[in-house]
Amino acid sequence: QDDFVAAETKKRLMANTGYDFAFGVDPKEILALEVEELREFHRKRYHPSNAVLMAYGRADPRKIIDFLEENHLKRFKPAPPSEAPRVSKLPDVSGLTRVLAPVPATEPRPGRGSQLAVGFCLGDLPASEVFCLEQAAAMLSDFPASPLFKKFVTAGPASGLCAGSGVEAGRLALPTLTLGLRGVPDSSASAASLLAGIEATLAEVADRGFDASLVEAASNAALIKAAAGRESCGFGSRLF
């Protein structure tokens, strides 16, 4: 599982909130699932009342609604929308918690190194601030000139970033930030040194900000991604 570290970090940040479960289902839990439980879940959750239907282009909205009603919606009985659980109180994640766990469904590879991640719950923020934090996270680690990339990958002990590093928002009630490194030495002393280095890098960025060329690179990358999203699905480019 490439996103194992990010998933484990989220599990701790969102413990006992309902958002700590794997969205794709933990494979080992499938064996405990009864067929009738699956059918009931599908009947309740996979219903038009839980969907947001979107269309774009030069089309008569009435014709679109009539088409959906005739070909899809009329097969379903009316039902109230399912309410997603809302995190009203965050779990206590103050301080440092070290989690050691083997990556499932993989064979040990001596010399490959370990993965280390730091997770933050960002709180209940407006979309504009979440977007800015997404860009800040990208500038922190996604580019060769990024502070974390230069310190830990280019010149440091890590072989790369963990899958799932960055800001995750939208699928969670509260956005989270994960900063993860892979291929690092497997020792307590190394973990402590890496955590101190990450903290020092964050403090330096908070004090000095990002280089102007890095801000421009991240902005261009976001524009390209937004343009690709428009072309592939037509949902627009959010805040651009």
Side-chain angles (χ1 to χ4, degrees):
Q1 295 183 2
D2 292 336
D3 60 349
F4 173 72
V5 168
E8 287 296 311
T9 304
K10 183 185 70 177
K11 186 184 297 184
R12 268 69 186 181
L13 288 175
M14 310 300 287
N16 302 316
T17 64
Y19 291 94
D20 48 331
F21 296 106
F23 290 100
V25 182
D26 189 334
K28 67 177 180 293
E29 299 296 335
I30 295 178
L31 298 177
L33 182 64
E34 298 290 339
V35 173
E36 287 305 317
E37 290 179 313
L38 178 60
R39 287 174 175 167
E40 175 60 19
F41 178 85
H42 187 276
R43 182 195 65 78
K44 185 177 180 180
R45 302 294 183 181
Y46 286 76
H47 190 279
S49 62
N50 297 321
V52 176
L53 306 178
M54 302 180 67
Y56 81 103
R58 296 181 179 180
D60 184 348
R62 186 69 256 173
K63 291 183 178 179
I64 295 176
I65 294 174
D66 291 343
F67 176 86
L68 291 172
E69 176 66 29
E70 179 64 26
N71 293 278
H72 302 285
L73 301 181
K74 73 176 185 181
R75 295 182 293 150
F76 296 88
K77 295 180 180 179
S82 300
E83 292 187 5
R86 180 69 184 175
V87 179
S88 57
K89 183 179 180 181
L90 287 175
D92 182 9
V93 291
S94 58
L96 175 64
T97 300
R98 189 181 184 200
V99 178
L100 297 176
V103 179
T106 60
E107 296 181 1
R109 298 183 184 180
R112 186 180 183 184
S114 297
Q115 299 186 57
L116 178 143
V118 183
F120 303 89
C121 190
L122 302 178
D124 194 3
L125 302 174
S128 57
E129 290 190 30
V130 173
F131 176 80
C132 291
L133 286 169
E134 289 175 340
Q135 302 313 303
M139 288 185 283
L140 268 172
S141 58
D142 287 6
F143 303 91
S146 297
L148 286 177
F149 194 97
K150 287 196 299 183
K151 185 168 186 175
F152 295 104
V153 180
T154 303
S159 61
L161 303 174
C162 292
S165 290
V167 172
E168 181 178 1
R171 296 190 301 174
L172 298 176
L174 295 172
T176 60
L177 166 65
T178 301
L179 301 174
L181 304 171
R182 58 182 171 86
V184 299
D186 185 12
S187 70
S188 297
S190 173
S193 175
L194 289 169
L195 290 172
I198 291 174
E199 183 178 348
T201 303
L202 292 176
E204 182 179 346
V205 168
D207 182 51
R208 300 182 181 180
F210 293 104
D211 184 80
S213 60
L214 186 57
V215 175
E216 183 179 5
S219 300
N220 289 337
L223 283 168
I224 293 171
K225 183 178 179 180
R230 279 200 305 271
E231 293 173 2
S232 61
C233 63
F235 287 171
S237 55
R238 282 204 299 178
L239 299 180
F240 278 106

